[in-house]
Structure formats: structure tokens, C-alpha cells
Amino acid sequence: MNTKIAYRKPADGQDRFLISTVYRKARHLRRSLENCGDMYVDRLYADGVERLEAGKIAGACLETGIECVFTDNAPDPRVPVVSLSKARTPEQLRRDVFFAVLSGAREVKYDSLLSERAIFGARPEPLVHYIKDVNYRLKQYGRTLMALKNTGIYCAADTEKRYPQIAGRRREIGRGGILAGQELPEGLVIGEFADEENNRYLLYQNANCDDTKASSFQIKLAREFRAYRVNPHNGKQVLVRNRTGEQSILIMPGDGDLLRYQPSEDEPFLIEYALKK
């Protein structure tokens, strides 16, 4: 199967999917930043710090290869903040991260990755392992996500009411051209995306974190499509269904899965996105 190279421009001056954290005082700043680097963090936001402290922060960031941004401005509302105090379980962590991605975010900001107590605290398994895993997958998905624009969010009305992160963003299902008109299962949230050449994607999320087991969903499509999955471990696309009018998907609580849909009568091809500076 042929692979198409699709060139994209930086989005608003941003050339890659970013993972960032807000600065919090840490006993060992450089060690904490090294831990952040191990979790694929690109950027540190340090706001309202004194000059002497700012110099120490900038030096530690330079030594660890993490970009440092100093600003007194209000936080950018386009960059959602994932709160580790609210994401008490790995399932809730994944849910909050993928809520951000579903909304079209090209950067996910954590509120306290420098706090060792927040991520290495008194849990049976430190949250750091799950943060590292989801951040790695975000980086792989990010190769594709940076070329896409969110065109809609779909879920059941009860699901929208339950989660304030998506309140007011629900679109009438069936208008996007991929999903058929239907009542979606409770807990399933779907983000619709397209690139500049109108290659279409759906990001499925299981928002129900009341259970630790995966949930299975079956969705009707508007027509017959060829389905490609974006591999979360290397970012590459793989053909999963050559011709289908429905989508069956198994998703862990809070997690997401990204697929591309192509009309089944078109010539099949894979897509790799490359940055054009």
C-alpha cells in the first residue's frame, strides 16, 4: 500500500505537540526537571517569580533541555490544565488528558509535575508511571494531531451533563459525514477531526472511569468506509478494516483511540505527516 507524505505548517508558530507543567517550588529543582524530562515534558511555565529564583529556574531548565516560559499574563485558555489533585486514579488522569485532546488542544499542561508528592505520593502504584505512558502516546498521536483541526464533539446528552469539560460543545450527530444519526452509548465521547486535504478522523474516548475494565462500543457509520488506526506506540497508520459500515471498538476507562476514515471506493493509502517550515 502506498504511503502519502502530507506536509503541514507549524500551527500558530508551534511545530510539535507540547506537554508542559506549571512551576511549583521543589526541594531539588534539577532532579524534578529531569523527572519531567523522563515524562516527555517539553515546557515549564514559571509565573510571578522573583529575579533570583527566575535565574535558578532558567539555569536548571537549560541544563535539562526543557523550555522555560516566564509570563505575568493570564493563562492561555486554549491550553487546558490537567489537575493531578483531581485526577486521583490512572483512569481519571487519562480521561482529563483525552478530554483536552478531543477539544482540539495542541498542548496539554499539568498543574504540578514538579511536586514529587503529587506523582510519587502514597499510592499503591505511583502515578508517574501512568503519566509517562499517556504522555508518550500523546507524542505519537501528536504527529497526526498537529495537522488536524477539530470539527465537532459527539456524545449522549447525559454524558455531556456529567462532564463539565465538554459541556456546551456537543454537536448534533450525523452532520459530520462519518457517523450515522444515532444515540451514542453513555460514557462514549467522540471527537471529529480533518486535515487540510479533508482526510477525516475520529478520536474515540471512554469517559466512564467508574470501572477499571475496558468497555466495548459499537457505532454506526454514515456509509461504508475504509478504517485506519493511528498506532499509539509509533504514530503510524495501519489498515484495520477494508470495508465497513460500523465501528466496533474496545477502550480502557478514560483512554482514547484515533482512527482515520476513507470512502471505501477510493484507492487505499497510508498517511505520514511531515513538518514544512
Side-chain angles (χ1 to χ4, degrees):
M1 186 183 304
N2 291 332
T3 298
K4 178 181 178 181
I5 305 298
Y7 290 94
R8 63 171 180 84
K9 296 179 181 178
D12 298 323
Q14 182 178 327
D15 61 3
R16 68 194 189 282
F17 193 96
L18 291 174
I19 298 172
S20 58
T21 184
V22 175
Y23 172 71
R24 296 285 184 270
K25 286 189 177 181
R27 181 177 299 179
H28 303 291
L29 177 58
R30 175 164 177 168
R31 178 192 171 199
S32 295
L33 285 172
E34 288 172 345
N35 289 333
C36 287
D38 289 341
M39 290 183 282
Y40 305 100
V41 171
D42 306 285
R43 176 180 288 178
L44 174 72
Y45 288 95
D47 303 329
V49 296
E50 298 179 355
R51 175 177 289 186
L52 179 60
E53 188 178 4
K56 294 179 180 178
I57 296 169
C61 285
L62 183 63
E63 292 172 351
T64 54
I66 293 177
E67 178 187 5
C68 187
V69 176
F70 295 97
T71 177
D72 294 324
N73 299 327
D76 189 340
R78 297 173 300 177
V79 183
V81 177
V82 175
S83 172
L84 294 181
S85 61
K86 295 179 180 179
R88 296 179 297 276
T89 68
E91 293 79 17
Q92 292 170 337
L93 168 74
R94 291 194 295 260
R95 182 188 63 198
D96 290 350
V97 166
F98 277 102
F99 271 156
V101 177
L102 277 165
S103 302
R106 294 188 173 101
E107 177 179 355
V108 171
K109 181 194 296 185
Y110 291 91
D111 65 347
S112 56
L113 285 186
L114 284 177
S115 170
E116 294 185 10
R117 184 175 181 179
I119 58 175
F120 293 95
R123 292 181 170 90
E125 291 188 62
L127 198 58
V128 61
H129 302 310
Y130 301 98
I131 296 172
K132 184 175 182 178
D133 175 70
V134 75
N135 286 353
Y136 174 78
R137 290 188 289 130
L138 283 179
K139 283 296 186 180
Q140 307 313 310
Y141 279 146
R143 302 178 192 179
T144 297
L145 292 170
M146 288 301 295
L148 306 183
K149 181 179 180 181
N150 178 270
T151 57
I153 294 178
Y154 307 97
C155 63
D158 289 346
T159 303
E160 182 186 27
K161 291 178 182 178
R162 185 175 180 183
Y163 302 107
Q165 298 96 321
I166 55 175
R169 300 183 181 184
R170 183 169 65 100
R171 187 183 184 192
E172 182 181 347
I173 197 167
R175 297 182 60 186
I178 302 179
L179 295 169
Q182 62 199 292
E183 182 67 23
L184 292 177
E186 195 281 328
L188 177 65
V189 185
I190 303 175
E192 185 178 52
F193 296 81
D195 66 13
E196 289 187 351
E197 298 182 4
N198 204 35
N199 295 297
R200 311 294 294 280
Y201 294 78
L202 293 180
L203 176 59
Y204 298 89
Q205 183 190 24
N206 175 11
N208 188 356
C209 294
D210 296 335
D211 197 353
T212 58
K213 297 179 181 179
S215 295
S216 178
F217 302 101
Q218 186 133 346
I219 308 302
K220 296 178 182 178
L221 304 178
R223 54 176 295 179
E224 290 194 328
F225 287 98
R226 186 175 290 110
Y228 305 82
R229 183 173 185 252
V230 180
N231 189 318
H233 303 292
N234 59 19
K236 295 183 179 297
Q237 297 186 6
V238 58
L239 178 66
V240 290
R241 294 292 295 274
N242 196 50
R243 191 180 187 92
T244 183
E246 61 183 21
Q247 178 67 60
S248 297
I249 194 161
L250 185 69
I251 317 177
M252 292 294 293
D255 221 340
D257 211 353
L258 182 62
L259 287 91
R260 175 169 69 92
Y261 292 89
Q262 176 195 27
S264 58
E265 66 271 16
D266 292 353
E267 188 71 22
F269 61 89
L270 304 175
I271 299 177
E272 290 187 7
Y273 292 97
L275 181 66
K276 184 178 182 180
K277 297 184 178 181

